[in-house]
Amino acid sequence: MLYKNLARLLRLQIQQGGLGPGERLPSIRQLAASHQVSAATAVQACLQLEREGLAEARPRIGYFVRVAGQGLISTVPPPRAPALISNPALLDLLLVDDNATILPLHAARPAPSLLPDATIAAALSRSLRRHREQSLGYAPPQGYAPLRRQIAQRYASMGVTVDADEIIVTAGAMEAITMALRVLTRPGDIVLVETPTYQGILQTVATLGLQVLELPRLRDGGLDLVLLESLLAKQAVRAAVMVPNFSNPLGLSLDDDTKQALLACCAHHGTVLVEDDIYGDLAWDDSRPPPLRRWNDGGAVITCTSFSKTLSPGLRVGWMLGGAWTGELLRAKYFSTVGNAALPQLAISDYLARHDLERHLRKLRRALAGNASHMRAAIDRHWPAGTRMGEPRGGLSLWIQLPAGSDAAVFSRAALAQGVGVMPGHVFSGNGDYRDHVRLSCGLPFDQSIDAALRRLGVIAASLF
Ligand SMILES: Cc1ncc(COP(=O)(O)O)c(C=O)c1O
């Protein structure tokens, strides 16, 4: 851990401008002497900064701070004091979803052709035919019991022990996250979120009047655990909303060690983890990373997720693993919506009983990986020099840094005028950071029209900096 401490100090110096772009870092010998660590530790710290894209090695000379625009993704913003979210763009997001003339590269969802739409439609008709009364009546507030049992079985197949009695069916993952925060917090409380993060999480936090503390996800998708520890030690943080698996927009996951360290650190400080695992099933190489819940029996984690990205966003079938909070969450659910609509739950349950979900997921993951790889190649071909891409491993997002000096809000407006939806980077931060980033979805099957759209976007990007 020593090298991580040293890397953190150097990172802060770089982020706060104490070490400017192109400047040389102190030599290994100087670092070792001034911080009383071994030369090996100093080297490891420099390597860590190199992995994060903050520094680069020049053979036989030393380590230098990378010049802006040469890194993979720009310097992560330094952590700030907790604050109410003040990014107005969040609350009036250009939701162009209903506009069929727009190519929806802004929307993180798989195209209907990648989802089992016909099978789900058949399941809906069958459920209505066979269980008409149940379909049209009130469903139990906690959700349809056979569906909850099927979900619990899926966790068992991942080696995660979950009791069907602690599963609460919700209207998508978003309702689950909102309910978890409503139960855990009061207006004015501080919650920790990772940055960049899904704008829906930031909107919920803003709507609930919570203060936000942003913890940067590192370039490799990891977390600075030393920084996390110091943030949680400094102030009472009621909850942390994290997307450990294939986060939106990075498409990267925390490794198992980091997940366990995150759990331990939050448990130590009494911070409840609200885990959004919506992309956990979308590992492009089929290696499903475990949810945080795998290492905790629900005493410190509330897991929230849904079938929105895997089966159907429109049916709005999500769920939460309530753990120790199940009773309170159930009351909150009952008092807000009474329960989810019955028919979509019956249909998903019917689908799970008759079809091999895993087989569908394998096909979906392959398709998303293929789309992402074609899109990355097209962006390489068509976008100006200085464009940087991360290296996502799953999910639905490509996170792209435009050349230095670009304004992604202007870019996305120009793209929309040309019929292409693009999500500007500043909506992924409560404070409007990432102004030179955009997120594209890789949920649409790659074809000539996507290639042509990416070419048009490349022309816009080239004209803007
Ligand atoms: C990280 C994340 N969480 C939650 C959601 C929304 O999920 P749902 O449609 O199930 O409410 C999204 C959708 O983009 C997302 O990216």
Side-chain angles (χ1 to χ4, degrees):
M1 257 341 215
L2 269 183
Y3 83 90
K4 289 196 175 170
N5 280 328
L6 180 53
R8 185 171 72 89
L9 289 174
L10 292 170
R11 187 183 307 115
L12 278 177
Q13 268 182 288
I14 294 171
Q15 287 171 336
Q16 292 168 352
L19 277 166
E23 237 178 275
R24 188 177 164 183
L25 265 60
S27 69
I28 296 298
R29 197 179 314 163
Q30 285 167 332
L31 283 174
S34 55
H35 296 277
Q36 299 185 342
V37 294
S38 68
T41 300
V43 169
Q44 264 193 311
C46 292
L47 286 172
Q48 174 66 25
L49 294 179
E50 198 180 12
R51 277 197 296 277
E52 294 171 19
L54 288 176
E56 63 186 350
R58 298 204 191 139
R60 288 191 296 278
I61 307 180
Y63 282 88
F64 288 77
V65 179
R66 265 189 191 243
V67 177
Q70 286 186 349
L72 271 178
I73 300 180
S74 67
T75 307
V76 287
R80 282 172 281 247
L84 291 171
I85 286 176
S86 63
N87 182 355
L90 279 174
L91 298 172
D92 59 6
L93 251 190
L94 63 158
L95 291 178
V96 289
D97 290 354
D98 292 338
N99 187 340
T101 62
I102 299 295
L103 184 71
L105 288 181
H106 64 287
R109 61 173 179 236
S113 62
L114 298 181
L115 296 176
D117 276 10
T119 321
I120 294 280
L124 280 162
S125 318
R126 194 165 34 246
S127 302
L128 188 56
R129 242 188 358 262
R130 295 202 176 155
H131 311 282
R132 176 181 296 230
E133 246 179 53
Q134 213 177 353
S135 298
L136 301 179
Y138 282 116
Q142 188 160 359
Y144 181 50
L147 174 63
R148 290 190 285 109
R149 283 196 292 274
Q150 285 162 313
I151 292 171
Q153 272 159 20
R154 248 188 87 62
Y155 281 107
S157 71
M158 283 182 230
V160 181
T161 308
V162 167
D163 190 332
D165 285 344
E166 59 159 312
I167 295 173
I168 301 172
V169 176
T170 57
M174 270 322 300
E175 195 203 9
I177 295 166
T178 305
M179 273 176 38
L181 288 175
R182 276 209 349 247
V183 162
L184 295 171
T185 64
R186 294 290 163 269
D189 280 355
I190 301 171
V191 297
L192 184 107
V193 300
E194 58 188 38
T195 183
T197 197
Y198 170 52
Q199 48 85 12
I201 292 174
L202 295 170
Q203 295 199 49
T204 291
V205 161
T207 309
L208 294 174
L210 301 169
Q211 298 192 74
V212 145
L213 195 53
E214 293 188 319
L215 176 70
R217 283 288 284 258
L218 304 178
R219 240 157 284 255
D220 62 1
L223 287 179
D224 182 336
L225 293 165
V226 178
L227 179 59
L228 172 69
E229 167 63 33
S230 75
L231 289 175
L232 297 189
K234 208 183 299 173
Q235 55 236 310
V237 177
R238 195 63 197 110
V241 188
M242 307 291 293
V243 190
N245 293 329
F246 310 116
S247 80
N248 175 2
L250 296 181
L252 294 168
S253 303
L254 302 180
D255 60 35
D256 287 1
D257 287 346
T258 307
K259 284 176 179 167
Q260 290 174 74
L262 169 67
L263 278 161
C265 188
C266 285
H268 179 69
H269 291 286
T271 302
V272 181
L273 272 156
V274 178
E275 167 184 38
D276 179 350
D277 192 34
I278 194 161
Y279 295 112
D281 278 330
L282 295 182
W284 296 342
D285 66 359
D286 279 330
S287 58
R288 212 277 184 215
L292 293 178
R293 177 52 201 258
R294 149 102 178 264
W295 293 279
N296 190 277
D297 61 4
V301 184
I302 297 177
T303 301
C304 304
T305 184
S306 76
F307 290 113
S308 299
K309 310 296 181 185
T310 50
L311 289 180
S312 163
L315 292 190
R316 309 301 300 136
V317 177
W319 69 92
M320 59 205 307
L321 308 181
W325 290 271
T326 303
E328 270 182 90
L329 289 166
L330 187 49
R331 266 193 301 282
K333 170 71 183 170
Y334 184 65
F335 294 147
S336 76
T337 67
V338 181
N340 266 39
L343 182 57
Q345 299 183 63
L346 290 163
I348 296 272
S349 174
D350 177 277
Y351 174 93
L352 295 175
R354 289 164 183 270
H355 300 278
D356 183 351
L357 174 64
E358 205 43 50
R359 186 151 166 261
H360 156 64
L361 289 177
R362 278 197 297 275
K363 249 174 66 189
L364 175 60
R365 293 170 188 138
R366 259 199 309 282
L368 296 177
N371 297 342
S373 136
H374 287 304
M375 286 179 74
R376 286 166 56 85
I379 290 165
D380 251 349
R381 271 197 308 279
H382 301 313
W383 290 31
T387 302
R388 313 279 159 202
M389 284 179 274
E391 297 196 5
R393 308 266 161 74
L396 282 159
S397 302
L398 299 183
W399 184 234
I400 303 160
Q401 185 181 9
L402 299 170
S406 306
D407 181 334
V410 176
F411 176 84
S412 69
R413 275 198 297 277
L416 203 54
Q418 298 224 9
V420 188
V422 167
M423 205 53 113
H426 64 282
V427 303
F428 295 89
S429 148
N431 296 289
D433 296 316
Y434 312 109
R435 297 204 154 266
D436 55 354
H437 283 70
V438 293
R439 188 208 65 190
L440 299 183
S441 158
C442 60
L444 300 176
F446 189 82
D447 61 11
Q448 294 286 331
S449 72
I450 308 271
D451 188 64
L454 291 173
R455 191 166 347 109
R456 289 207 296 284
L457 294 183
V459 173
I460 298 172
S463 71
L464 283 184
F465 72 99

